[in-house]
Amino acid sequence: MQGVALITGATSGFGAASARRLAADGWALIICGRRQERLDALAAELSPSTPVLALQLDVRDAAAVKRAIDDLPLEFGDIQLLVNNAGLALAPGPAQAVDLGDWHTMIDTNITGLVNVTHALLPRLIAWGAGASVINIGSTASGNPYPGSHVYGASKAFVQQFSFNLRCDLQGTGVRVTDLSPGIAETEFSLVRNAGNETAADAVYRDTVPLTAEDVAEQVAYIAALPAHMNINRMEVVPVRQAWGPYAIHRE
Ligand code: NDP
Ligand code: 8X3
C-alpha cells in the first residue's frame, strides 16, 4: 500500500514539479503553500489522476500547521512521505546591507517553518513506519560559502544537520530522512530573491544550463521509491555546468 505525500511549497518550482511527478507514481497528495489560487489550479490538474488535498498553509505559523495536520480528513491521514520544500532566499547583497527583517523571514521559513511541519508530522510518519520518508530540500549553499548567501546558506546548513540528527533519533522507527541538496535550478527562486526584479533573476540563468524543477522532482520520486531498508543521507545534485570556485583573495 502507498500512503499520502505532503509537499510544502507546492505552488511553484520544485514543489509543484514534485506533486506532478509523485502523482504519476500513484501517490495521493497534500499540496501546501500560501497562494490559494495556485493550489486550486494544481489540485484541479492532478485530481483526475490521484486524490489531492489543497492545504493553504504558511509554514511559519506553528499553531496553524499543527491545526491543519490535526484536522486532516481521514482519507489523507496516513502520511508516508513529507517533502519539506517550502523555502526562499532574500536580499542577495552583502550581509552588511541587508534588512534584518529579510534575515528573519529566511530563518522563520527555512528553519522554523521546516521544523514546524516536521514536528507536526513525525507521529504520523512513525505510525507508518518502514518505508516512510522525510525529504528535506537543502542546497549546495549549505556547505559552499559565497557572497550574498549569509543567512540563506546558513539556514540550509541547519537543514542538513537537522536531517542527520533526525536520522539518529528515528533509528528503529523505519522512517528515512534525506537532505536533498540541489545546485542552481531555474524556478521562481531568483525572482523572489531579487524582490521581483526579472532582469536580475534572468541574469542568474543566462548563458548556462541550470537544473529544472523536473530534474529535482525526479530525485524526490527516486528517493521516495527506494526499498524500505535504504536511506540516502544526503544527495547533492548540480548541473554539469556548475562546479566549486576557489577561495577569493582580496588584494589592495
Ligand atoms: P520557488 O520560489 O519556485 O518555490 C518556493 C515555494 O516555497 C513556493 O511554493 C512558495 O509558496 C513556498 N513558500 C515560501 N514561503 C512559504 C511559507 N512561509 N509558507 C509556505 N510556503 C512557502 O523556489 P524553488 O522551487 O526553487 O525552491 C524550493 C526549495 O528549494 C526552497 O527551499 C529553496 O531554498 C530550495 N532550493 C532552490 C534552489 C534553486 O536554485 N532554485 C537550489 C537549491 C535549493 P507560496 O509563495 O505560495 O507560499
Ligand atoms: C539555491 C542555490 O546557488 O543560489 O539554494 O545557493 S544557490
Side-chain angles (χ1 to χ4, degrees):
M1 185 178 73
Q2 191 153 273
V4 176
L6 186 147
I7 306 169
T8 67
T11 55
S12 172
F14 302 164
S18 296
R20 293 189 175 98
R21 183 62 186 78
L22 292 173
D25 275 359
W27 287 86
L29 299 173
I30 303 174
I31 52 174
C32 307
R34 292 167 300 178
R35 287 170 287 180
Q36 183 74 58
E37 66 288 357
R38 290 208 185 189
L39 291 173
D40 291 343
L42 189 60
E45 176 191 331
L46 298 179
S47 51
S49 55
T50 198
V52 181
L53 177 69
L55 210 56
Q56 189 183 31
L57 205 56
D58 186 328
V59 294
R60 295 171 294 180
D61 185 341
V65 168
K66 183 173 176 342
R67 209 167 37 245
I69 302 303
D70 285 350
D71 295 348
L72 281 177
L74 209 57
E75 63 271 31
F76 287 96
D78 292 331
I79 295 174
Q80 184 183 355
L81 171 64
L82 164 60
V83 184
N84 266 322
N85 165 74
L88 79 176
L90 296 170
Q96 56 274 28
V98 174
D99 280 346
L100 181 57
D102 285 341
W103 277 358
H104 282 166
T105 301
M106 288 188 274
I107 292 167
D108 293 348
T109 309
N110 302 355
I111 298 180
T112 308
L114 182 139
V115 161
N116 289 340
V117 178
T118 305
H119 191 268
L121 281 174
L122 274 182
R124 289 177 191 257
L125 292 160
I126 291 168
W128 185 278
S133 308
V134 180
I135 301 175
N136 291 328
I137 304 299
S139 169
T140 47
S142 64
N144 300 291
Y146 63 87
S149 179
H150 39 79
V151 162
Y152 176 69
S155 74
K156 294 300 187 179
F158 173 90
V159 171
Q160 177 182 306
Q161 193 60 36
F162 182 58
S163 303
F164 294 173
N165 291 348
L166 258 186
R167 282 224 61 225
C168 297
D169 290 346
L170 291 173
Q171 275 282 48
T173 67
V175 180
R176 289 91 57 91
V177 186
T178 300
D179 167 31
L180 172 57
S181 283
I184 184 176
E186 189 162 3
T187 63
E188 292 177 18
F189 177 84
S190 290
L191 199 59
V192 172
R193 188 176 223 176
N194 288 285
N197 180 333
E198 286 187 19
T199 309
D202 289 348
V204 175
Y205 309 115
R206 196 181 51 227
D207 300 332
T208 191
V209 184
L211 296 175
T212 65
E214 289 70 29
D215 293 332
V216 176
E218 199 58 39
Q219 307 314 313
V220 168
Y222 169 74
I223 294 164
L226 283 171
H229 68 282
M230 287 177 69
N231 194 105
I232 295 180
N233 295 333
R234 182 165 192 271
M235 183 188 274
E236 187 171 89
V237 184
V238 299
V240 169
R241 292 198 181 197
Q242 183 176 25
W244 306 270
Y247 276 108
I249 312 293
H250 174 75
R251 301 179 198 280
E252 293 305 331

